[in-house]
Amino acid sequence: MKNHVLFCLLKCFLCLLCLSNCEKSQDRKEDGDYPPLWNLVPESLKDFTIQDNRTIINPWNYLQRMGLYKMLLAATAEPTAGAGSNNSGNFLWGLALQHGWQFQTGRLSDPSSSSLCGYQNGDNLCISARSWWACMNYFLAVIPFLAAVNAGYFADWPFAIDISPPAEFREDFCYSVDDCQSSMSKVMEKWKRFFEYHKISNTNHNNVTTSLIIEEDRVLHYLWTAHEASIGDALPKCKQRLQYLSSPEVNFAVSWANAVEFIAATRFLTNFHQTSLFQRSLPHRMLTENDYAPSIPDFSAEENRTLQVLNWIYKGNYFTGKRLLDLWRNSMCTKAGKAKGRLLMRYMQTNPAMVFPGMFALLTELNKDCIAEN
């Protein structure tokens, strides 16, 4: 009886989601842009400061933190056409593009306004330790990079790598491979597994008997498992920074963190093209106390709709004690379910008329016996 009620709640939620997305989408250019200032971002470890035989990386500078992604993208580039032109098929683009969006929308600047960190009239490349978004992203930038180092990437680099701490909240982070292995061992291990498997996957692509689809699914499994682990570790450490944000921005922040779990269940393809399309509907600036979706005047219909839908997902999950997420995951526990989930997300952006049929197909999966693959 309880599962039946939750199933009905999920169906009602999906119908509301459909109605919110049935407006005609605006035409968009096919490909997105690179992250801001991409041409200025460091490309290799030799571009960072070397002092006393140690490489110093400052993740509280936008270019240097983005440099971690640029190096990871180069190090994990696939040696086959499957990676797309310019390595565009690399699943780590999702992290880099998301960080670029955070910078471009002012979410990495000091939200307490006690400094000029991140502002145009101050140090616009500064990343504030008081920023909730910057704190969360640390666990999706520095941790993956150090885990990659631990997995054998950059093994030819002769110097140790140290991460510069912020001026405050130093205890919330770790700053070297050994430090992170000691204080955040579980999330480090999950990222290490991803990079180790990615290395094996790249090797397997040279074997004609290996299915690229199977390899892709496994790589995405390890990637999203590590991604969720980073979010899980970051949420309690970054929580106190929510006090600096407006109420609407807090609602968006926690709703977005919640939505990541739903997105992860679909094993969403975080390559350049798919991520660019997906995040175009995210708000182009920080939310203020007077911003109430879906009626924010300077936001597009897509931005307003996205904020509203994310809030519905969060509330639906909260009021069902996260059972909504359980039901969603259950419908995604087969390869077919994940594929339908990813297709549905694409329809929300490109073909709203297909949203409801896609949702109905997903709901029917909940009535079938499902054997988890992971």
Side-chain angles (χ1 to χ4, degrees):
M1 180 65 181
K2 184 178 180 180
N3 286 338
H4 176 72
V5 172
L6 289 169
F7 179 86
C8 292
L9 284 172
L10 178 59
K11 189 169 182 178
C12 290
F13 154 73
L14 290 177
C15 288
L16 287 172
L17 187 63
C18 173
L19 290 173
S20 74
N21 281 281
C22 286
E23 301 171 18
K24 185 176 180 180
S25 297
Q26 298 176 354
D27 290 335
R28 299 281 189 169
K29 60 182 179 178
E30 183 177 351
D31 294 314
D33 297 321
Y34 285 98
L37 307 176
W38 185 250
N39 290 334
L40 301 179
V41 173
E43 297 182 352
S44 69
L45 286 167
K46 66 182 180 182
D47 296 326
F48 294 89
T49 300
I50 300 174
Q51 183 177 337
D52 298 328
N53 293 325
R54 306 189 76 82
T55 309
I56 310 300
I57 299 175
N58 177 18
W60 307 103
N61 172 278
Y62 166 74
L63 293 179
Q64 294 199 35
R65 188 181 291 200
M66 185 63 81
L68 300 180
Y69 292 131
K70 200 168 192 177
M71 289 187 290
L72 286 176
L73 282 163
T76 57
E78 297 176 6
T80 69
S85 61
N86 299 320
N87 199 24
S88 61
N90 195 315
F91 295 136
L92 291 177
W93 272 116
L95 296 175
L97 290 168
Q98 181 73 180
H99 185 49
W101 166 79
Q102 292 167 350
F103 173 76
Q104 195 166 37
T105 59
R107 287 180 164 82
L108 303 178
S109 59
D110 183 355
S112 69
S113 299
S114 61
S115 74
L116 295 178
C117 177
Y119 293 95
Q120 290 297 324
N121 60 338
D123 182 357
N124 68 314
L125 297 178
C126 175
I127 294 179
S128 174
R130 293 191 174 192
S131 163
W132 180 88
W133 295 94
C135 177
M136 295 292 291
N137 176 261
Y138 190 98
F139 291 79
L140 291 165
V142 173
I143 300 298
F145 182 79
L146 293 178
V149 172
N150 199 30
Y153 288 80
F154 314 103
D156 294 335
W157 184 247
F159 306 116
I161 299 173
D162 288 339
I163 306 299
S164 300
E168 55 184 334
F169 300 112
R170 295 169 65 103
E171 68 281 358
D172 289 338
F173 310 105
C174 57
Y175 306 100
S176 67
V177 171
D178 290 341
D179 184 17
C180 293
Q181 279 290 98
S182 174
S183 60
M184 301 180 186
S185 59
K186 290 183 179 180
V187 67
M188 278 285 286
E189 184 60 30
K190 286 180 170 58
W191 278 110
K192 184 182 178 184
R193 286 181 191 171
F194 162 71
F195 286 110
E196 288 175 338
Y197 190 82
H198 197 287
K199 189 181 295 186
I200 295 172
S201 175
N202 278 356
T203 302
N204 287 345
H205 282 175
N206 294 321
N207 183 348
V208 295
T209 64
T210 300
S211 169
L212 293 180
I213 295 177
I214 293 175
E215 290 297 331
E216 180 181 86
D217 189 67
R218 289 173 180 168
V219 168
L220 285 166
H221 163 68
Y222 285 112
L223 173 64
W224 279 112
T225 298
H227 192 125
E228 288 188 277
S230 280
I231 295 294
D233 272 20
L235 281 171
K237 291 182 178 294
C238 303
K239 184 177 181 180
Q240 58 184 314
R241 293 161 177 81
L242 292 173
Q243 66 180 304
Y244 301 119
L245 302 178
S246 67
S247 296
E249 183 70 16
V250 170
N251 290 337
F252 169 55
V254 297
S255 296
W256 178 239
N258 172 76
V260 167
E261 295 188 89
F262 288 82
I263 296 169
T266 72
R267 299 291 185 259
F268 184 77
L269 278 65
T270 52
N271 56 39
F272 186 91
H273 178 65
Q274 293 299 328
T275 304
S276 294
L277 286 176
F278 188 77
Q279 72 176 25
R280 283 175 186 165
S281 59
L282 296 180
H284 67 273
R285 62 165 174 80
M286 294 276 282
L287 301 177
T288 67
E289 292 294 350
N290 296 321
D291 289 329
Y292 297 98
S295 304
I296 304 176
D298 64 326
F299 277 21
S300 68
E302 284 182 325
E303 288 174 300
N304 272 295
R305 185 165 58 240
T306 295
L307 289 173
Q308 189 176 37
V309 170
L310 290 176
N311 188 46
W312 285 345
I313 295 174
Y314 173 75
K315 287 183 176 179
N317 200 34
Y318 177 80
F319 287 116
T320 59
K322 285 203 166 187
R323 286 289 293 148
L324 185 62
L325 178 60
D326 291 338
L327 289 172
W328 179 259
R329 283 173 172 163
N330 188 50
S331 69
M332 299 290 155
C333 65
T334 65
K335 292 178 183 177
K338 294 184 184 76
K340 289 177 182 178
R342 293 194 293 262
L343 186 61
L344 176 58
M345 289 186 178
R346 195 175 307 129
Y347 283 151
M348 288 181 184
Q349 298 289 333
T350 63
N351 193 356
M354 291 299 296
V355 171
F356 184 74
M359 290 175 178
F360 182 77
L362 284 176
L363 283 172
T364 60
E365 290 293 323
L366 295 175
N367 290 324
K368 299 177 182 178
D369 292 331
C370 184
I371 301 176
E373 298 174 354
N374 301 326

